[in-house]
Amino acid sequence: MPALLFSRTSARLNALLAAIGLLAIAALTKPGISVQTGFLLQVLLAGIWTVYVLQLIGTLIARRTSGGSTNLPVLTIDVLAVLIPLAAFLLIGTRDRYLYCAIWLLKPLRHSTYFRLMGRVLANEARNLIGVTSIFGIVLFGAALAAYLIERDTQPDKFGSIPQAMWWAVATLSTTGYGDAIPQSFAGRVLAGLVMMSGIGIFALWAGILATGFYEEVRRHDFVRNWQLVAAVPLFQKLGAAALVEVVRALRPRIVPAGTVICRKGETGEQMFFIVEGRVTVATPSPVELGPGGFFGEMALLSGQPRLATVSAATEVSLLSLYAVDFQILSSSNPEIADIIRRTARERRDLLPKD
């Protein structure tokens, strides 16, 4: 069904359609645009809206067939992208109704995990963020109060009350400095300098807290994903939690498309690979296929000699790579795994034809 196909519209296509729509909106606001050009741009907007209607229908069908498991934010964005322009067309005057298509700014976020990530970061760092925000409020009110006391007689139109002075305090604390309100006295200018330096420190604290929160959340997400990949390899399934943590830190995940050459005969072997999903083909005189749980590249890694065979992806392959330095660390902490790898390397070497 066509609507179901539209429900699977990729993030790139959604972003492209939204960008085209927003450019059309911007062009329609240009003075002196011809009637014909305006009509064509509005037809373009109508076409994009039709695509979004089909996407919404597909999303609703998919939600019904999956028992309501469709992501609620995705459904909300699809509904808003259709209903708000429709309501504007029916209820708003001709001049501004197309402006409500700007809701399509949300469409590229339909596939994004950014808001969920942002929500987790804000929840984790709420205590620190509230603390810095409290400092900001104290400095803001204190600066407005001080500016009111210092400048109220000199500039009653700019600093005649604390609310008026607070506008200056916001502009100065954020280091924006619009220039519409400037202290005239020496004491007022000293105050402005102190407020600006305080603002730099406060915003640096906010940025540092959020940056650290994002880094920790991304690292936690990557660790969980890598843990799941490593745990899927039979060679590591008997390890305890502490040993598995070391393995997760040593291995690096990688996705290889079908047909890609992973390593070539004659290359220096600086890493070996464990297969999580998919299959690879080892180009020996009698080609061999390896599947999930298998590993390859260990002979060159152990001996330091060039690789003895070319390995390519027979299907899309999910791999975990282990570099030589990390193998030495893994060998010292988990000798049984290193012994299995070395024993397999000897067996495979014995099967290769002798020159």
Side-chain angles (χ1 to χ4, degrees):
M1 185 175 181
L4 280 175
L5 295 176
F6 279 100
S7 72
R8 301 184 183 94
T9 304
S10 68
R12 290 183 180 179
L13 182 55
N14 266 322
L16 178 61
L17 289 173
I20 293 172
L22 295 173
L23 288 174
I25 293 169
L28 283 168
T29 62
K30 186 178 179 181
I33 189 170
S34 67
V35 175
Q36 184 179 6
T37 302
F39 175 75
L40 291 175
L41 290 173
Q42 292 184 52
V43 170
L44 177 62
L45 291 176
I48 295 173
W49 181 82
T50 303
V51 172
Y52 289 157
V53 169
L54 292 172
Q55 191 176 73
L56 174 60
I57 294 171
T59 301
L60 291 172
I61 294 173
R63 181 179 176 84
R64 184 175 180 180
T65 55
S66 62
S69 62
T70 306
N71 195 338
L72 186 57
V74 168
L75 181 60
T76 303
I77 290 173
D78 286 351
V79 170
L80 293 176
V82 170
L83 293 186
I84 290 181
L86 178 62
F89 180 82
L90 296 175
L91 303 175
I92 307 298
T94 305
R95 179 182 178 186
D96 294 329
R97 62 190 181 191
Y98 57 82
L99 296 178
Y100 289 84
C101 292
I103 190 66
W104 295 344
L105 279 168
L106 297 177
K107 292 298 285 188
L109 302 177
R110 183 176 186 268
H111 303 267
S112 176
T113 59
Y114 171 79
F115 283 112
R116 288 194 294 273
L117 175 62
M118 186 69 176
R120 289 196 296 270
V121 170
L122 292 176
N124 294 338
E125 302 296 335
R127 189 174 181 180
N128 294 328
L129 290 172
I130 291 172
V132 177
T133 303
S134 300
I135 295 173
F136 179 84
I138 292 169
V139 174
L140 176 65
F141 191 85
L145 176 61
Y148 165 71
L149 293 173
I150 294 172
E151 297 289 331
R152 61 183 175 182
D153 296 329
T154 307
Q155 302 183 76
D157 57 327
K158 303 292 186 183
F159 298 90
S161 67
I162 291 180
Q164 284 180 300
M166 197 169 288
W167 165 249
W168 167 84
V170 170
T172 306
L173 191 57
S174 62
T175 67
T176 303
Y178 283 111
D180 56 340
I182 302 173
Q184 300 296 325
S185 65
F186 176 76
R189 293 185 177 184
V190 171
L191 174 65
L194 294 174
V195 171
M196 281 186 270
M197 288 187 287
S198 300
I200 292 171
I202 290 171
F203 280 95
L205 282 174
W206 267 328
I209 291 169
L210 290 174
T212 302
F214 269 106
Y215 171 75
E216 292 294 337
E217 192 62 35
V218 170
R219 189 177 69 170
R220 189 180 299 112
H221 177 270
D222 289 344
F223 183 84
V224 171
R225 183 194 62 185
N226 294 348
W227 180 288
Q228 293 170 342
L229 292 175
V230 170
V233 178
L235 185 61
F236 305 128
Q237 287 178 351
K238 295 182 180 180
L239 295 178
L244 200 58
V245 168
E246 294 182 14
V247 175
V248 169
R249 289 173 176 167
L251 297 176
R252 291 159 175 77
R254 177 182 173 189
I255 303 294
V256 180
T260 303
V261 174
I262 301 170
C263 55
R264 296 183 183 275
K265 183 177 180 179
E267 289 180 344
T268 303
E270 298 179 348
Q271 57 183 319
M272 63 174 294
F273 303 91
F274 299 89
I275 305 171
V276 180
E277 294 178 347
R279 304 189 69 81
V280 301
T281 302
V282 184
T284 56
S286 299
V288 177
E289 269 203 359
L290 299 176
F295 56 87
F296 60 92
E298 76 288 346
M299 287 189 283
L301 182 139
L302 292 171
S303 65
Q305 298 176 353
R307 297 196 184 278
L308 301 177
T310 297
V311 181
S312 56
T315 64
E316 183 178 83
V317 186
S318 175
L319 299 173
L320 296 167
S321 61
L322 178 67
Y323 285 85
V325 175
D326 294 323
F327 176 78
Q328 298 302 324
I329 298 173
L330 185 62
S331 299
S332 61
S333 59
N334 298 278
E336 67 278 8
I337 292 178
D339 289 342
I340 293 173
I341 294 173
R342 291 192 180 97
R343 184 168 64 250
T344 303
R346 287 194 298 269
E347 293 171 355
R348 290 175 176 174
R349 187 178 290 109
D350 293 339
L351 294 175
L352 292 175
K354 308 299 181 185
D355 294 331

Coordinates of all heavy atoms in Angstrom, one line a residue, residues 262-273 296-309 322-325 327-328:
I262 N 37.4 -6.9 3.7 CA 37.8 -6.6 5.0 C 39.3 -6.5 5.3 O 39.8 -5.6 5.9 CB 37.1 -7.5 6.0 CG1 35.6 -7.5 5.8 CG2 37.4 -7.2 7.5 CD1 34.8 -8.6 6.5
C263 N 40.0 -7.5 4.7 CA 41.4 -7.5 4.8 C 42.0 -8.2 3.6 O 41.3 -9.2 3.1 CB 41.9 -8.1 6.1 SG 41.4 -9.8 6.4
R264 N 43.1 -7.8 3.1 CA 43.7 -8.4 1.8 C 44.9 -9.2 2.1 O 45.7 -8.9 3.1 CB 44.0 -7.3 0.9 CG 42.9 -6.5 0.4 CD 43.3 -5.4 -0.6 NE 42.2 -4.6 -1.1 CZ 41.3 -5.0 -2.0 NH1 41.5 -6.1 -2.7 NH2 40.3 -4.2 -2.4
K265 N 45.2 -10.2 1.3 CA 46.4 -11.0 1.4 C 47.6 -10.1 1.2 O 47.6 -9.3 0.3 CB 46.3 -12.1 0.3 CG 47.5 -13.1 0.4 CD 47.3 -14.2 -0.7 CE 48.5 -15.1 -0.6 NZ 48.3 -16.3 -1.6
G266 N 48.6 -10.3 2.0 CA 49.8 -9.5 1.9 C 49.9 -8.3 2.8 O 50.9 -7.7 3.0
E267 N 48.7 -7.9 3.3 CA 48.7 -6.7 4.2 C 49.3 -7.0 5.5 O 49.3 -8.2 6.0 CB 47.3 -6.2 4.3 CG 46.6 -5.5 3.1 CD 45.2 -5.0 3.4 OE1 44.6 -5.5 4.4 OE2 44.7 -4.2 2.6
T268 N 49.7 -6.0 6.2 CA 50.2 -6.1 7.6 C 49.0 -6.4 8.5 O 48.0 -5.6 8.4 CB 50.9 -4.9 8.1 OG1 52.0 -4.6 7.2 CG2 51.4 -5.1 9.5
G269 N 49.1 -7.4 9.3 CA 47.9 -7.7 10.2 C 48.0 -7.0 11.5 O 48.7 -7.5 12.5
E270 N 47.3 -5.9 11.7 CA 47.4 -5.2 13.0 C 46.2 -5.4 13.8 O 46.1 -5.0 15.0 CB 47.5 -3.6 12.7 CG 48.7 -3.2 11.9 CD 48.7 -1.7 11.7 OE1 47.7 -1.1 11.8 OE2 49.8 -1.2 11.3
Q271 N 45.2 -6.2 13.3 CA 44.0 -6.5 14.1 C 43.4 -7.8 13.6 O 43.6 -8.2 12.5 CB 43.0 -5.3 14.0 CG 42.6 -5.0 12.5 CD 41.7 -3.8 12.5 OE1 40.8 -3.6 13.3 NE2 41.9 -2.9 11.5
M272 N 42.6 -8.4 14.5 CA 41.8 -9.5 14.1 C 40.3 -9.2 14.3 O 40.0 -8.1 14.9 CB 42.2 -10.7 15.0 CG 41.9 -10.6 16.4 SD 42.2 -12.1 17.4 CE 40.9 -13.2 16.7
F273 N 39.4 -10.0 13.8 CA 38.0 -9.7 13.8 C 37.2 -10.9 14.4 O 37.4 -12.0 14.1 CB 37.5 -9.4 12.4 CG 38.3 -8.3 11.8 CD1 39.4 -8.5 11.0 CD2 37.9 -6.9 11.9 CE1 40.2 -7.5 10.4 CE2 38.6 -5.9 11.3 CZ 39.7 -6.2 10.6
F296 N 38.6 -14.3 12.5 CA 39.7 -14.4 11.5 C 40.7 -13.2 11.7 O 40.4 -12.3 12.4 CB 39.1 -14.4 10.1 CG 38.3 -13.1 9.8 CD1 38.9 -12.0 9.2 CD2 36.9 -13.0 10.1 CE1 38.2 -10.9 8.9 CE2 36.2 -11.8 9.9 CZ 36.8 -10.8 9.2
G297 N 41.8 -13.4 11.0 CA 42.9 -12.4 11.0 C 43.8 -12.6 12.2 O 44.7 -11.8 12.4
E298 N 43.6 -13.7 12.9 CA 44.5 -13.9 14.1 C 45.9 -14.3 13.8 O 46.8 -14.0 14.6 CB 43.8 -14.9 15.1 CG 43.9 -16.4 14.6 CD 43.0 -16.7 13.4 OE1 42.1 -15.9 13.1 OE2 43.2 -17.8 12.8
M299 N 46.1 -15.0 12.6 CA 47.4 -15.5 12.3 C 48.4 -14.4 12.1 O 49.5 -14.3 12.6 CB 47.4 -16.4 11.1 CG 46.7 -17.8 11.4 SD 46.9 -19.0 10.1 CE 45.6 -18.4 9.0
A300 N 48.0 -13.4 11.3 CA 48.9 -12.2 11.0 C 49.1 -11.4 12.3 O 50.2 -10.9 12.5 CB 48.2 -11.4 9.9
L301 N 48.0 -11.3 13.1 CA 48.2 -10.5 14.4 C 49.2 -11.2 15.3 O 50.0 -10.5 15.9 CB 46.8 -10.4 15.0 CG 46.7 -9.6 16.3 CD1 45.5 -8.7 16.3 CD2 46.7 -10.5 17.5
L302 N 49.1 -12.5 15.4 CA 50.0 -13.2 16.3 C 51.4 -13.3 15.8 O 52.4 -13.2 16.6 CB 49.5 -14.6 16.6 CG 48.2 -14.7 17.3 CD1 47.6 -16.2 17.3 CD2 48.3 -14.2 18.8
S303 N 51.6 -13.5 14.5 CA 53.0 -13.7 14.0 C 53.6 -12.4 13.5 O 54.9 -12.3 13.4 CB 52.9 -14.7 12.8 OG 52.1 -14.1 11.7
G304 N 52.8 -11.4 13.3 CA 53.4 -10.1 12.8 C 53.7 -10.2 11.3 O 54.3 -9.2 10.7
Q305 N 53.4 -11.3 10.6 CA 53.7 -11.5 9.2 C 52.5 -11.0 8.4 O 51.4 -10.8 8.9 CB 54.0 -13.0 8.9 CG 55.2 -13.5 9.6 CD 55.4 -15.0 9.4 OE1 54.5 -15.6 8.8 NE2 56.5 -15.5 9.8
P306 N 52.7 -10.8 7.1 CA 51.6 -10.4 6.2 C 50.4 -11.4 6.2 O 50.6 -12.6 6.5 CB 52.2 -10.3 4.8 CG 53.7 -10.1 5.1 CD 54.0 -10.9 6.3
R307 N 49.2 -10.9 5.9 CA 48.1 -11.8 5.9 C 48.2 -12.8 4.8 O 48.7 -12.5 3.7 CB 46.8 -10.9 5.7 CG 46.5 -9.9 6.9 CD 45.1 -9.4 6.8 NE 44.9 -8.4 7.8 CZ 44.6 -8.6 9.1 NH1 44.5 -9.9 9.5 NH2 44.4 -7.7 10.0
L308 N 47.6 -14.0 5.1 CA 47.8 -15.1 4.2 C 46.6 -15.3 3.3 O 46.6 -16.2 2.4 CB 48.0 -16.4 5.0 CG 49.3 -16.4 5.9 CD1 49.3 -17.7 6.7 CD2 50.5 -16.2 5.1
A309 N 45.5 -14.6 3.5 CA 44.3 -14.7 2.7 C 43.5 -13.4 2.7 O 43.6 -12.6 3.7 CB 43.4 -15.9 3.2
L322 N 39.9 -6.4 17.2 CA 40.8 -6.4 18.3 C 42.2 -6.1 17.8 O 42.7 -6.9 17.0 CB 40.8 -7.8 19.0 CG 41.7 -8.0 20.2 CD1 41.3 -7.1 21.3 CD2 41.7 -9.4 20.6
Y323 N 42.8 -5.0 18.2 CA 44.1 -4.6 17.8 C 45.2 -5.4 18.6 O 44.9 -5.9 19.7 CB 44.3 -3.1 18.0 CG 43.6 -2.3 16.9 CD1 42.3 -2.0 17.1 CD2 44.3 -1.9 15.8 CE1 41.6 -1.2 16.1 CE2 43.6 -1.2 14.8 CZ 42.3 -0.8 14.9 OH 41.6 -0.1 14.0
A324 N 46.4 -5.4 18.1 CA 47.5 -6.2 18.7 C 47.8 -5.8 20.1 O 48.0 -6.6 21.0 CB 48.7 -6.1 17.8
V325 N 47.8 -4.5 20.4 CA 48.1 -4.0 21.7 C 47.0 -4.5 22.7 O 47.3 -4.9 23.8 CB 48.2 -2.5 21.7 CG1 48.4 -1.9 23.1 CG2 49.3 -2.0 20.9
F327 N 45.1 -7.0 22.3 CA 45.2 -8.5 22.4 C 46.2 -8.9 23.5 O 45.9 -9.8 24.2 CB 45.6 -9.1 21.1 CG 45.8 -10.6 21.1 CD1 44.7 -11.5 21.2 CD2 47.1 -11.2 21.2 CE1 44.9 -12.8 21.2 CE2 47.3 -12.5 21.3 CZ 46.1 -13.4 21.3
Q328 N 47.3 -8.2 23.6 CA 48.3 -8.5 24.7 C 47.7 -8.2 26.0 O 47.8 -9.0 27.0 CB 49.5 -7.6 24.5 CG 50.3 -7.8 23.2 CD 50.7 -9.3 23.0 OE1 51.1 -9.9 24.0 NE2 50.7 -9.8 21.8

